[in-house]
Amino acid sequence: MVSFLPLASWSLPGLHLLPTTAMKPRRLFIAVKSFSGEAKAGGEAKVAKGSLLRQEDAHRISSEGHFWAKVLDTEKVVRVPSSAIQELTGTQAGLLEAVTNGDERLGLFSQERLMRKLSSLQKGDPVRVQITSASGQKVQGVVRYRGPIEKNKHDTSIIFGVELVGSATGKGFTDGSFKGQKFFSCQENCGVFVPVNRIEPDDSAKGNPPAPPRGPARECTRIQLTSGDPLSSPRLEIGDRVFFKMEDSTPMGTVVYCDYLPKKIETGVFVGIRLDKPVGSWDGHFKERKLCHIPAPEYGILLPISKVQKEQSDRSPEALDCNSSPPTSAFFDCPSPSSIRYPPKIEGCSFKEPPSLFPSFGSEKPKGRKGEENKKEQEAGEESEEEEDEQHDHYLLEINSMVEVNDPPIYGVIRWIGDLPDMDETIAGLELEEPLSSGCTDGQYRGKRYFHCPPNKALFVKLRRCRPDSRFGTEQNLENPVLRCNSLDFRVYASAKVEEDTPPPPLGDRGIEHLLGWKKGIQGHCNSCYLDATLFCMFTFSSVLDSMLLRPADKNDGESYIETRDLLRTEIVNPLRKNGYVCATKVMALRKVLETAGHSSGFTSEEKDPEEFLTLLFRVLKMDPLFQIRSAGKDPHGCIFYQIFTEGHPTQAVPTVQQLLEGSLVTADLKFTEAPSCLILQMPRNGKNFKAFRTIQPSLELDLTDLLEDTPRECCICQGLAVMECLDCYGDHSFGFGHMKQFCKMCSQQVHKHRNRRCHQPRPLHLPEELSHLGPLPEVIPRQTMQLFAVLCIETSHYVSFVKYGPERENWMFFDSMADRHGDESGFNIPTVTLCPEVAKYLEMPVAALAMEQPRDMEGVAKRLFCDAYMYMYQSKKMALYK
């Protein structure tokens, strides 16, 4: 990675010629305020605050401190005044280059303490990460990669690759790969790549280290994974007498160090020994750091704890020398090493110390006085173990709980709970944060699969041995609402299955009676509002997406496809359209199927975003993308929804959806390859406190004519056939705010004769060849339009929806899957559907009048539609006939 090194200090206010004897890296700056400067290509260029600039010529700096620099966001070279910029260090430049929003970039730069903390983030650090730009919360994760991810060798921007942990597992969008290149490894959909503005150090995790071992003296344990029980752990303390095998001898000594090596936790615990005889070669240091005092290297040795044996009165080194080799684990009589996949048989093993997680499989009968003492010690140890188990009983852990086991702890997430052969109590299947070299599987136990995870990460342990992850401090939710969502508990709220295909109700007042009122719509349960509201929008009054319900299975479709399709059609969509109600158990069944078929955890219990649900649903049902979009000169890209971006294009205080879409596509130089039958637009917002706009005016009709490739378009001046378009003219207010700018040949020449537009770069439009063979075009060129049929909204963390049920402006209904509740915490949500004709008043308002409205003063639920919009759904019934 190219790093930006600060040059020798020099001041901008005067003329300073830098030495030319050596090539030095060009310096990077950030604009701390907006300014206009002379453009090298001619004319004047505006530079927004937060823009990044790279110095172009280090030898030409005027006496006033002006110099030429390239604005990285626009690629324009401008003359920069020193008063408007500040220089960046190499680390600052790399971090801020990845941030696309200038205001956020400048905000980060101004927070020195935060920037220092972010700059120090390294692999392995716990963090909180914002998964998508639209999500309003940060979730737990661990940094797995830091650096550039583009294949361009000149890319210096720093991106963080984060593996999501805990309840966030499965909410990501990668397995550590980006554009075919592997940067780190994690389970599918458990990783994200984010810029620095969407990540923060998790101080709570660092502030809650695992509890130290019990007892007055420090005990050191070692997780044994080479043989015997996977988690049995011999114990050593400073001052213990020990011995170990060295060729044909058995040296003895005293423990003077017993701990993990600095920054080498993954290698396990090591023991530093002060030897009785000069046979060693260690001076007490590790990588120039002193760990303990050794009088001379000949009297020191550093060994893994698995190689060291504690001296006991009934187990001398001489006795050990009688054997061919020392045991390497806590099991002494097992015929062969065991593992989680093939654990030792119950009757075949005995061991000196009980393992930390699995049950005691047997013990030798004590003999004589020494045997009686051992028996008492064993009984005392069992009592202590029972006390510890009682302490863990109250945790009531469940699937997806973040836990730790053993001491020192290893961390993981519970992926399965149940019974295993030969085990007489409940077992938990853990997916560990870090793979272990042996003793772990990919979710199988004795050849039978219980869950999915990467190789060497699945560990099966007694559930009572698990305790909540101490790094995160707070206790987790103890209820298991997933198991409670069954037909027996929800029998009062059950909904019937409807096999026959049911079209949407007829539009207008006569088709809505069965949908209105209390206990109508889709019943919410256990964080399902994102899915309930999305399904209600997609299917209640529109059939534009019904193809996913009706496609026959082919030879490439498995059982998961048929199960998902039929469940969605017969248990959710048809009952909703026919009876106006769907029970939460039906949605939970869909969530379980999607979670299993998509290999994506968390869909049964966690908060998700609508875009995550849509992406998984389309993947499982093997649906084609809803539309294709292309950047100039590149291959088209299939999309399910389009995320609106507002950086770099002018917007009003209260923009319309039409303006936002046009501005976003123009800025990114994107076009639809053809008119879609369904278009889902995700609004620019980032939770309650980071909305891009306080109010957005819904466009009831969306005009895509000027946003399509190879489509005849009108000249924006004379209404003739346009042959040129100019992206630079888009922000020119003299043509009207926020409208596409395309011209006939003559109008384009006239417009660009103006001195302020001479630097513009108009380009020819790609028109269908058939136009040249046709006669004169009609006076009015036909428009490609789409109609708004639903809006998905979120204020903080709860999703609701608005659906249009008729042609009139007041024909809107409002749906909330958790509008009411019957009972306490173990009760049931009651969905409600109501009419909301009050929104028509605000839809008819001019933009200037709507901007004056205070959201809190809006009537009924109108505020939710105008201020909390998350996704707008548009349809073209005409195009749906062809697709």
Side-chain angles (χ1 to χ4, degrees):
M1 187 182 79
V2 180
S3 60
F4 293 89
L5 302 175
L7 302 178
S9 60
W10 55 282
S11 58
L12 287 172
L15 175 62
H16 294 267
L17 299 178
L18 298 180
T20 60
T21 55
M23 178 67 71
K24 297 189 177 183
R26 292 178 179 177
R27 307 164 71 172
L28 261 75
F29 303 85
I30 186 170
V32 295
K33 62 181 180 181
S34 300
F35 66 91
S36 297
E38 177 189 354
K40 205 165 190 177
E44 192 175 63
K46 293 182 178 179
V47 179
K49 63 180 180 180
S51 298
L52 294 179
L53 305 99
R54 184 177 64 223
Q55 184 183 11
E56 284 292 290
D57 192 343
H59 306 293
R60 298 184 61 184
I61 304 172
S62 71
S63 57
E64 295 84 16
H66 291 61
F67 62 95
W68 293 106
K70 176 181 285 188
V71 183
L72 300 187
D73 298 329
T74 63
E75 296 293 317
K76 293 182 178 180
V77 179
V78 298
R79 197 168 179 79
V80 178
S82 60
S83 59
I85 57 168
Q86 285 193 34
E87 187 172 2
L88 300 173
T89 65
T91 302
Q92 288 174 334
L95 292 172
L96 296 179
E97 268 191 276
V99 180
T100 57
N101 184 285
D103 291 332
E104 291 186 33
R105 193 186 284 153
L106 185 58
L108 277 174
F109 175 73
S110 63
Q111 302 179 63
E112 290 187 25
R113 176 181 292 184
L114 177 60
M115 280 296 289
R116 284 197 298 269
K117 293 174 70 175
L118 294 171
S119 299
S120 65
L121 285 176
Q122 299 296 331
K123 288 190 287 186
D125 286 348
V127 292
R128 300 192 70 82
V129 60
Q130 182 182 328
I131 298 175
T132 66
S133 60
S135 59
Q137 61 179 2
K138 289 186 171 69
V139 297
Q140 294 165 347
V142 178
V143 176
R144 298 300 183 202
Y145 173 77
R146 170 185 168 141
I149 58 175
E150 294 289 347
K151 294 182 179 180
N152 182 359
K153 64 180 181 180
H154 300 296
D155 179 31
T156 57
S157 58
I158 296 176
I159 294 290
F160 291 91
V162 179
E163 181 180 5
L164 305 177
V165 299
S167 62
T169 304
K171 288 187 175 181
F173 49 78
T174 179
D175 61 353
S177 301
F178 181 76
K179 292 185 178 180
Q181 186 174 354
K182 196 79 168 177
F183 293 93
F184 65 94
S185 296
C186 69
Q187 193 174 356
E188 185 179 1
N189 294 327
C190 289
V192 293
F193 289 100
V194 294
V196 69
N197 59 317
R198 282 167 45 192
I199 196 171
E200 64 184 29
D202 192 347
D203 296 327
S204 63
K206 295 179 180 178
N208 292 280
R214 302 181 183 89
R218 176 165 186 167
E219 294 181 341
C220 299
T221 59
R222 161 75 168 153
I223 299 172
Q224 297 290 335
L225 291 171
T226 53
S227 63
D229 185 86
L231 294 175
S232 65
S233 305
R235 301 176 182 273
L236 289 177
E237 299 178 5
I238 304 298
D240 280 349
R241 294 286 295 168
V242 294
F243 59 93
F244 57 94
K245 191 75 174 175
M246 177 184 282
E247 296 179 350
D248 296 328
S249 63
T250 310
M252 300 180 62
T254 303
V255 175
V256 291
Y257 177 84
C258 184
D259 207 341
Y260 295 102
L261 298 177
K263 299 183 179 181
K264 287 287 184 180
I265 293 179
E266 68 275 8
T267 61
V269 174
F270 274 71
V271 180
I273 305 172
R274 187 171 63 237
L275 301 170
D276 296 343
K277 296 180 180 180
V279 294
S281 59
W282 182 57
D283 62 356
H285 291 74
F286 180 77
K287 291 188 176 180
E288 300 181 353
R289 178 175 173 179
K290 185 174 182 180
L291 303 182
C292 59
H293 174 68
I294 299 292
E298 298 79 24
Y299 286 88
I301 194 167
L302 183 67
L303 296 172
I305 195 171
S306 59
K307 302 291 186 183
V308 180
Q309 300 294 325
K310 186 175 181 180
E311 183 182 358
Q312 300 173 2
S313 56
D314 61 341
R315 192 154 189 264
S316 63
E318 290 75 20
L320 182 67
D321 282 335
C322 297
N323 301 322
S324 60
S325 62
T328 58
S329 76
F331 285 90
F332 297 134
D333 299 323
C334 293
S336 62
S338 64
S339 68
I340 299 299
R341 186 190 296 253
Y342 302 106
K345 294 184 178 180
I346 294 178
E347 62 272 12
C349 297
S350 62
F351 47 86
K352 297 298 181 182
E353 294 183 0
S356 59
L357 293 181
F358 272 74
S360 178
F361 295 123
S363 60
E364 293 184 1
K365 202 169 184 178
K367 299 178 181 179
R369 182 176 177 183
K370 184 63 66 176
E372 292 295 326
E373 292 176 1
N374 291 342
K375 183 177 180 181
K376 290 180 180 178
E377 290 178 3
Q378 183 177 350
E379 290 174 352
E382 290 173 355
E383 291 176 4
S384 173
E385 183 178 324
E386 289 175 2
E387 291 176 3
E388 183 177 339
D389 291 342
E390 290 175 4
Q391 292 174 359
H392 293 177
D393 281 345
H394 73 278
Y395 293 134
L396 301 177
L397 299 168
E398 61 185 25
I399 292 174
N400 291 324
S401 291
M402 294 182 296
V403 296
E404 59 185 45
V405 291
N406 218 48
D407 197 2
I410 55 177
Y411 302 101
V413 178
I414 296 178
R415 294 301 185 204
W416 175 85
I417 295 176
D419 298 323
L420 289 178
D422 302 329
M423 294 291 178
D424 56 359
E425 60 180 282
T426 303
I427 302 298
L430 309 186
E431 180 182 346
L432 303 181
E433 283 190 7
E434 299 291 340
L436 297 176
S437 57
S438 61
C440 291
T441 73
D442 62 351
Q444 298 185 66
Y445 179 84
R446 289 187 174 178
K448 181 178 179 181
R449 180 168 299 284
Y450 291 89
F451 63 96
H452 290 270
C453 74
N456 299 320
K457 278 194 170 186
L459 183 66
F460 290 87
V461 299
K462 288 183 178 181
L463 180 62
R464 63 185 172 89
R465 298 290 190 181
C466 302
R467 55 190 183 272
D469 192 327
S470 60
R471 297 174 299 174
F472 297 104
T474 57
E475 288 194 9
Q476 302 162 60
N477 183 20
L478 305 181
E479 184 187 10
N480 194 333
V482 178
L483 298 179
R484 195 173 66 83
C485 190
N486 57 71
S487 57
L488 182 62
D489 285 344
F490 278 74
R491 59 188 179 276
V492 178
Y493 299 91
S495 58
K497 183 178 183 179
V498 178
E499 290 282 359
E500 64 272 15
D501 294 333
T502 307
L507 296 180
D509 294 335
R510 64 187 182 91
I512 61 173
E513 291 181 3
H514 69 291
L515 273 164
L516 293 177
W518 188 77
K519 196 183 171 185
K520 291 295 183 179
I522 303 173
Q523 184 183 26
H525 177 72
C526 187
N527 300 319
S528 69
C529 62
Y530 73 94
L531 192 146
D532 307 326
T534 306
L535 288 173
F536 195 86
C537 285
M538 292 168 65
F539 295 110
T540 308
F541 284 98
S542 175
S543 59
V544 71
L545 294 169
D546 278 13
S547 57
M548 69 172 59
L549 309 174
L550 305 173
R551 181 177 72 82
D554 58 35
K555 62 180 181 180
N556 297 318
D557 293 320
E559 288 297 323
S560 62
Y561 166 76
I562 299 174
E563 184 180 9
T564 306
R565 181 202 62 189
D566 291 349
L567 178 60
L568 180 62
R569 180 175 58 87
T570 65
E571 301 281 14
I572 297 176
V573 177
N574 289 345
L576 177 64
R577 290 172 174 175
K578 182 176 181 179
N579 304 321
Y581 172 71
V582 177
C583 178
T585 57
K586 311 297 185 180
V587 178
M588 179 60 73
L590 177 65
R591 297 165 77 179
K592 290 179 179 178
V593 170
L594 289 175
E595 185 173 70
T596 302
H599 303 296
S600 183
S601 62
F603 269 88
T604 56
S605 58
E606 300 171 7
E607 291 183 6
K608 297 283 186 179
D609 293 324
E611 59 267 31
E612 295 178 79
F613 164 60
L614 288 171
T615 301
L616 183 59
L617 182 66
F618 271 65
R619 188 170 81 230
V620 172
L621 294 179
K622 300 180 180 179
M623 288 289 294
D624 291 332
L626 292 180
F627 59 91
Q628 298 277 340
I629 200 165
R630 188 201 309 267
S631 182
K634 298 182 179 179
D635 293 333
H637 181 69
C639 301
I640 301 170
F641 56 89
Y642 178 72
Q643 165 76 64
I644 298 285
F645 294 97
T646 59
E647 293 88 350
H649 68 87
T651 52
Q652 293 177 301
V654 179
T656 65
V657 176
Q658 179 82 38
Q659 291 169 343
L660 291 174
L661 177 61
E662 288 182 355
S664 182
L665 292 177
V666 168
T667 303
D669 198 8
L670 297 171
K671 287 283 197 309
F672 294 106
T673 58
E674 59 181 4
S677 60
C678 180
L679 179 61
I680 301 176
L681 300 177
Q682 185 175 342
M683 289 299 101
R685 57 165 294 150
N686 187 10
K688 179 181 178 182
N689 298 321
F690 298 96
K691 294 179 182 178
F693 303 98
R694 188 187 70 172
T695 305
I696 296 176
Q697 187 177 54
S699 299
L700 297 180
E701 185 175 80
L702 201 63
D703 191 337
L704 300 185
T705 309
D706 297 336
L707 304 174
L708 298 170
E709 289 184 341
D710 302 334
T711 300
R713 295 157 61 180
E714 284 185 352
C715 172
C716 63
I717 295 178
C718 70
Q719 285 76 54
L721 178 64
V723 296
M724 305 290 289
E725 68 176 349
C726 181
L727 302 184
D728 296 319
C729 285
Y730 176 76
D732 195 328
H733 290 256
S734 61
F735 288 110
F737 182 83
H739 290 292
M740 301 296 292
K741 305 299 189 302
Q742 61 272 336
F743 312 96
C744 64
K745 185 174 181 180
M746 183 176 298
C747 290
S748 178
Q749 292 173 349
Q750 292 294 328
V751 164
H752 291 99
K753 285 182 179 180
H754 194 283
R755 61 177 178 274
N756 291 338
R757 304 188 198 101
R758 290 173 186 167
C759 61
H760 290 189
Q761 297 178 344
R763 63 189 183 187
L765 289 172
H766 297 284
L767 298 175
E769 292 184 6
E770 305 89 71
L771 288 180
S772 60
H773 305 298
L774 297 176
L777 291 173
E779 292 185 6
V780 178
I781 295 177
R783 312 296 294 181
Q784 297 280 0
T785 60
M786 304 186 76
Q787 288 70 45
L788 180 65
F789 70 91
V791 183
L792 186 64
C793 301
I794 178 176
E795 183 177 12
T796 52
S797 60
H798 182 61
Y799 289 92
V800 296
S801 57
F802 290 83
V803 174
K804 203 167 191 307
Y805 67 87
E808 306 300 328
R809 285 182 178 267
E810 63 269 14
N811 291 159
W812 285 89
M813 62 173 53
F814 173 73
F815 164 65
D816 186 346
S817 65
M818 303 178 183
D820 199 359
R821 188 167 181 85
H822 180 259
D824 52 15
E825 291 184 2
S826 59
F828 304 90
N829 292 310
I830 310 297
T832 303
V833 179
T834 57
L835 298 182
C836 49
E838 65 271 15
V839 302
K841 169 184 174 182
Y842 303 97
L843 289 170
E844 295 169 351
M845 278 188 179
V847 170
L850 187 59
M852 299 298 293
E853 284 287 328
Q854 292 297 322
R856 63 177 179 272
D857 297 331
M858 287 185 170
E859 298 175 16
V861 293
K863 170 188 173 294
R864 307 294 300 273
L865 177 62
F866 287 85
C867 302
D868 300 331
Y870 187 80
M871 279 183 171
Y872 290 90
M873 297 187 181
Y874 288 87
Q875 65 180 348
S876 171
K877 294 183 178 181
K878 179 176 65 175
M879 295 306 300
L881 297 175
Y882 300 96
K883 299 185 178 182

